[in-house]
Amino acid sequence: MLTGEGLWFRYAPQLPWVIQAQTLAVEPGEVVGLMAPSGFGKTTLAKLLAGYLAPTKGRVSVDSQPLPRRRYCPVQLVFQNPELAVNPRWRIDQILREGHPPQMHQLDALGIHSGWLTRYPHELSGGELQRIAIARTLNSQTRYLIADEMTAMLDANTQALIWQAVLDYTRAHQIGVLVVSHDWPLVRRLCDRILDLAADQDHCTLVSGVAE
Amino acid sequence: MLSVSNLSVTFSQYEKGLRRKQLTVITDLDLEVQAGEVVAVVGASGSGKSLLAHAILGILPENAAVGGTMLFHGQPLTPERCQQLRGKAIALVPQSVGYLDPLMRVGQQVQRVAQLNGLSKPAARTAVKQTFQRYDLPPQADRCYPFQVSGGMARRVLVSTAVVSQADLVIADEPTPGLHPDVVTETLNHLRELAQEGRGVILITHDIGAALLVADRVAVFYAGTTAEIASAQDFASGNLRHPYTQALWRSLPQNDFVPVPGTQPSPEALPVGCLFSDRCPWVTEACLPERPALRAVRRGLVRCIHADR
Ligand code: SF4
């Protein structure tokens, strides 16, 4: 289980708290939505859970173990803008081979053309590059995926295609997913359970879209 | 006001060994915008929607060749005329505050736009004040640097730049991704107001949901061409003509969330016939030999030979 317990965060002692006393958990194979108004620190929380930032107070753990500092992090984060997530000087196949390469059929499922593999990030469109950033996280070392507005830049058809491929993979491999998004219909469609930071508790449990 | 027909944009690139490669990224693109209406241009990334904006604004890179015609108030939009009109009669609401000068206070930047449009310095200052008031921007916002304003405020500053320019035609490029629904609605309402004042507004977006909240008409782009131009009501009423538009609509999470598989063909490998033929559920032999022309079907325009079935 991925847990964040009693999480507090601020950038410096003289600055205000961005995250205050948040506790949340995601089970393996579960898809959890995270909703909150702007300014509630959703993105910061996502970064804490993926080890991009260290909490000022509290702790993040996977199966009671703290996140590893040096090794590949079992909690992977995908943001809205893939440009910031890849090394601009590496070729796409290099980017994908870094760490734990995904399998060919997953590249297909995500609609990644083999022709893209020999290009550089700036030669792909934002939507194409986002598929690469996602493909990179779908490997045997990933236990949890945090999708922070992951498909907000994509058209509806591509969004549905990508989520179909991602959820097929995470269900088959019991990967827990945290969906951070402003898009209420999307969150409702994807998630087994929705957390509302503003309500400060796990206030509603919804059956995921397919069963509706 | 604006009439784009058969627009094409071709990039020439030099490959290794000085071989020149021509890449046509927009083919046969059509769009009309009247005064007082919001036309949404919707499509996947790479569908040509941003390039259309760049073509209208005359800011395509040098290695781009433009074909077809663009008329603005009946006169051809030549590169010289684009440059004259840009920021004046034709204004852009940019995607993010990243387009603002990071070292200049936002009030000053908006004022500069007003002055570029021929207002005297005092008149420009008044215009900025009025515009900030109109958009509920606190007076202090005027003295903020771009990085100091919140996401919602930034949207309003960006709209302000278009408003003080007095432009007839306003182009908003992807103004809403990842924003909170309240900010999205607010931003779209501002665009609606600009149209109510008699301007033409082009909303470029990948988000059909956002487009339908505000647009009168929706142009759906696919692989660099206009697949369909429909009225906004056609979506909910099931009057869509092109199978791609129908697929986009069905794939929304609030509808079926069922996508059509595959991706847009790349400009390097466009099919000879209909650009959607490799993904189309209706495809027949007749779709393959040539590109379907844009034609009128049920009071809309569509580039599909089987659209009236
Ligand atoms: S012309 Fe043919 S392939 Fe193209 S959209 Fe229409 S039915 Fe489909």
Side-chain angles (χ1 to χ4, degrees), chain B residues 1-3 69-78 81 85:
Chain B
M1 171 181 295
L2 177 77
S3 160
T69 45
M70 293 189 285
L71 301 178
F72 181 63
H73 289 309
Q75 300 291 318
L77 270 180
T78 58
R81 190 148 174 262
L85 298 174

Side-chain angles (χ1 to χ4, degrees), chain B residues 86-88 90-92 100 104 106-119 124 127-128 157-167:
Chain B
R86 185 165 71 235
K88 295 173 190 148
I90 303 179
L92 175 74
L100 296 175
M104 201 187 214
V106 296
Q108 233 176 323
Q109 305 205 36
V110 178
Q111 183 181 327
R112 200 178 56 165
V113 174
Q115 278 174 263
L116 282 175
N117 279 278
L119 294 190
V128 172
V157 170
L158 294 171
V159 174
S160 303
T161 58
V163 171
V164 296
S165 73
Q166 309 287 323

Side-chain angles (χ1 to χ4, degrees), chain A residues 119-152:
Chain A
R119 300 198 206 155
Y120 288 88
H122 70 93
E123 297 174 306
L124 296 185
S125 73
E128 291 166 353
L129 200 55
Q130 187 65 316
R131 295 169 199 230
I132 303 291
I134 294 167
R136 202 169 53 159
T137 67
L138 301 184
N139 67 64
S140 61
Q141 302 300 304
T142 300
R143 303 309 317 149
Y144 294 90
L145 176 70
I146 301 181
D148 186 359
E149 298 289 357
M150 180 171 86
T151 50

Side-chain angles (χ1 to χ4, degrees), chain B residues 242-243 274 276-277 280 282-284 287 292 303-306:
Chain B
H242 199 285
C274 172
F276 191 57
S277 55
C280 182
W282 303 349
V283 62
T284 63
C287 308
R303 208 180 277 285
C304 166
I305 58 171
H306 295 313

